[in-house]
C-alpha cells in the first residue's frame, strides 16, 4: 500500500486505470489485490534466500566432511609410517651387515612402498589391482624380516579390472595381522581374498594368533578404529565390517559398494 500511495502522490493518479467504481484504488478489493501481490514477492524472495542459505550450509558440511576425512587419512598414514619404516630400516641394516643379497631388493621394495604412502595415498581412489600390488609389496617386505615364519596367500575372484577403492583401506588390517599374529618362535598363516559380487566388493583376511597376545586389544587399535571411522564417512551405513576372534583365528570380513 505504501508503494501505491507513493505512486499516487509522486507519479500518477491512474495507479489502477483498468478498473472503476467499487474496484477503484484504495478500495477493499484493491487493498487485497496489492497485499496478495506483495505476499507473492515476499514469498518468492524468501524462498530464494532460504534455498541459497541451505545450499551454503550443505556446501560447508561437505567441505567439513571432506576435511575430516583427509585429516583422518593423514592420521592413519602417520600411524603406519614411523614404526614400519623403522623396523624395515633395521632389517636393511641387519642385511647390510651380513652382506646379504636380499639387501638391494629390500631397498627397492621399501622405495616403492614409500612412494605409495607419500604420493599415491593422496589420491581419492586407486585401481584395486594397484592397491593389491602395494599390499603384496608390504607382505614381501615383512617376509624379508620374518622369513619362513610367514605364509601368505592372496586370492582374487570376479572381474576387478575396473574397480577403484580408497587408498590404504585394507592395508591396516594386514599390518594388524603382522603386529598381533607373530611373536618369537611362532609362525603365522595369513590368507587374503578379494571378491567382486555384482556391485559389491568383499574383502577377507584371516590369520592365526596366540591367546597370550590378548587379541581383543588388536580390535581396539588406533589403525582399526581409524579405518572404521573412514568407512563411516565414506559409506555412512552402506557397508559391513565384521571382526571375529575365535579358536586362535583372527578374521576380517569387509563389504563395500563399488
Amino acid at each position: 500500500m505504501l508503494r501505491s500511495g507513493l505512486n499516487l502522490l509522486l507519479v500518477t493518479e491512474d495507479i489502477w486505470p483498468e478498473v472503476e467504481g467499487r474496484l477503484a484504488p484504495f478500495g477493499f478489493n484493491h487493498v487485497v489485490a496489492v497485499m496478495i501481490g506483495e505476499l507473492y514477492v515476499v514469498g518468492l524472495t524468501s524462498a530464494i534466500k532460504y534455498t541459497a542459505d541451505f545450499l551454503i550450509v550443505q556446501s560447508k558440511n561437505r567441505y567439513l566432511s571432506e576435511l575430516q576425512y583427509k585429516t583422518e587419512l593423514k592420521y592413519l598414514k602417520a600411524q603406519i609410517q614411523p614404526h614400519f619404516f623403522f623396523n624395515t630400516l633395521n632389517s636393511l641394516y641387519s642385511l647390510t651387515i651380513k652382506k646379504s643379497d636380499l639387501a638391494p631388493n629390500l631397498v627397492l621394495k621399501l622405495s616403492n612402498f614409500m612412494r605409495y604412502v607419500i604420493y599415491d595415498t593422496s589420491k581419492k581412489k586407486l585401481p584395486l589391482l594397484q592397491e593389491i600390488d602395494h599390499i603384496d609389496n608390504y607382505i614381501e617386505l615383512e617376509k624379508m624380516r620374518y622369513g619362513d615364519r610367514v605364509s601368505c596367500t592372496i586370492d582374487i575372484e570376479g572381474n576387478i579390472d575396473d574397480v577403484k577403492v580408497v587408498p590404504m583401506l585394507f592395508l591396516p588390517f594386514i599390518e594388524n595381522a603382522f603386529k598381533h599374529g607373530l611373536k618369537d618362535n611362532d609362525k603365522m598363516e595369513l590368507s587374503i581374498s578379494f571378491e567382486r559380487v555384482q556391485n559389491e566388493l568383499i574383502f577377507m583376511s584371516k590369520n592365526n594368533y596366540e591367546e597370550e597376545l590378548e587379541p581383543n586389544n588388536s580390535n581396539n587399535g588406533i589403525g582399526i578404529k581409524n579405518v572404521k571411522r573412514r568407512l563411516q564417512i565414506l559409506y555412512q551405513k552402506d557397508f559391513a565390517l565384521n571382526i571375529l576372534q575365535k579358536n586362535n583365528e583372527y578374521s576380517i570380513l569387509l563389504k563395500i559398494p563399488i
Side-chain angles (χ1 to χ4, degrees), residues 58 87 100 124 148-149 154 169 190 211 241 255:
Q58 289 291 96
N87 291 335
S100 171
K124 287 188 175 181
D148 295 337
R149 294 174 58 197
I154 300 179
L169 191 62
L190 174 63
E211 292 287 355
L241 175 62
K255 297 180 181 180

Side-chain angles (χ1 to χ4, degrees), residues 7 10 14 28-29 46 50 55 71 73 75 101 132 148 160 162-163 169 183 219 221 224 250:
N7 284 337
L10 303 175
D14 296 327
F28 176 78
N29 290 332
S46 297
Y50 289 139
L55 293 176
T71 301
L73 176 58
Y75 183 64
D101 294 336
I132 293 175
D148 295 337
I160 63 170
D162 60 339
V163 177
L169 191 62
K183 78 173 196 178
N219 191 19
I224 302 301
Y250 185 87

Side-chain angles (χ1 to χ4, degrees), residues 97-116:
I97 292 296
K98 297 176 182 178
K99 298 183 179 180
S100 171
D101 294 336
L102 294 176
N105 193 28
L106 178 62
V107 172
L108 179 61
K109 289 185 176 296
L110 180 60
S111 173
N112 290 335
F113 189 78
M114 290 180 67
R115 186 180 300 109
Y116 163 68

